[in-house]
Amino acid sequence: MAAPVVDSNYLKEIEKARRDLRALISSNNCAPLMLRLAWHDAGTYDAKKKTGGPNGSIRNDHELKHSANRGLKTAVEFCEEVKKRHPKITYADLYQLAGVVAVEVTGGPTIDFVPGRKDSMESPEEGRLPDANQGARHLRDIFYRMGLSDKDIVALSGGHTLGKAHPERSGFEGAWTKEPLKFDNSYFQELLKTDSNLLKLSTDKALVDDPKFRRYVELYAKDEDAFFRDYAASHRKLSELGFISPSRLGLKVAVGVVIAATMVILGYYYEVQRKIHLSDWTLPKNKFHL
């Protein structure tokens, strides 16, 4: 599918959709669900294959039926209400905008949002999302495949400050924090407690057990500003995997034009120098024959 034309009208629709999402998320207390939708649509990206990513494909029935996506049909249906009012907006943009709004309305950081993602009907194979029963190596395999870093892994894991695990969806039950509708750094504080009775999955424990991960856990547990700053940056990276924004595309085109022009100039310069060089060789021969 073609990318949307991100003109002034499209940007106006994005802002209207943002307002509608704020109202919808607040009235339904569904911020954790919307954040999960955004993550799961984006988290299938494969940097080498250039497939998956935030392209709206999670709305496809067969992708929604992937075991990791259980329960997300409700989020897709919520977004459909907004889509009907703003049909110009792509599903890919809508789902990522919903994730951004979910963080903001629960007290989290403001995340830069750049629209222009195109929709896809091609869903990736099942198994690209993190498995909560695994450890540090698995987390790196999944996130490195996307092109993300250790810091991104820990910062994004902090999103578990929102929501609860539901047995009918994941097989796990419980909340990671005492206030599951408030976005803060309490997830990391709870991770470092040895006597916490809140939920800790294998992937959560790996963040404490692995020394490279743990340094970020300790930083974010004591410095919420640092967590908010890094989370906002990592969330944006996740939401833009495989996506070239119109502004960046324009820059790439401009750079391409400059390079092409430079090559033409260099080619002309080379040709002039070649002719001068040839004339220098022929001049002595003429003098010799005189």
Side-chain angles (χ1 to χ4, degrees), residues 36 38-45 66-70 125-146 148 152-153 156-157 160 169-170 172 176 201-204 206-207 238 241:
R36 183 168 166 243
W39 280 6
H40 284 218
D41 192 44
T44 59
Y45 186 65
H66 290 178
S67 59
N69 294 333
R70 280 196 292 262
E125 69 276 9
E126 188 168 5
R128 290 194 181 187
L129 295 170
D131 179 353
N133 290 301
Q134 302 294 323
R137 182 173 181 178
H138 169 76
L139 284 174
R140 288 193 171 95
D141 287 343
I142 294 292
F143 284 86
Y144 285 8
R145 187 205 67 223
M146 296 185 233
L148 300 178
D152 294 320
I153 292 172
L156 289 169
S157 295
H160 281 149
R169 297 175 188 172
S170 63
F172 303 100
W176 288 269
L201 304 172
S202 294
T203 44
D204 298 319
L207 302 182
L238 178 68
L241 292 173

Side-chain angles (χ1 to χ4, degrees), residues 43 49 71 73 82 85 107 111 114 130 143 153 162 175 177 192 202 205 213 222 249 256 270-271:
K49 297 179 181 178
K73 185 176 181 181
V82 179
R85 289 194 289 274
I111 300 164
V114 180
F143 284 86
I153 292 172
L162 292 182
T177 65
L192 294 174
S202 294
K205 296 173 183 176
F213 288 153
K222 68 181 179 181
L249 181 61
Y270 171 78
E271 184 63 21

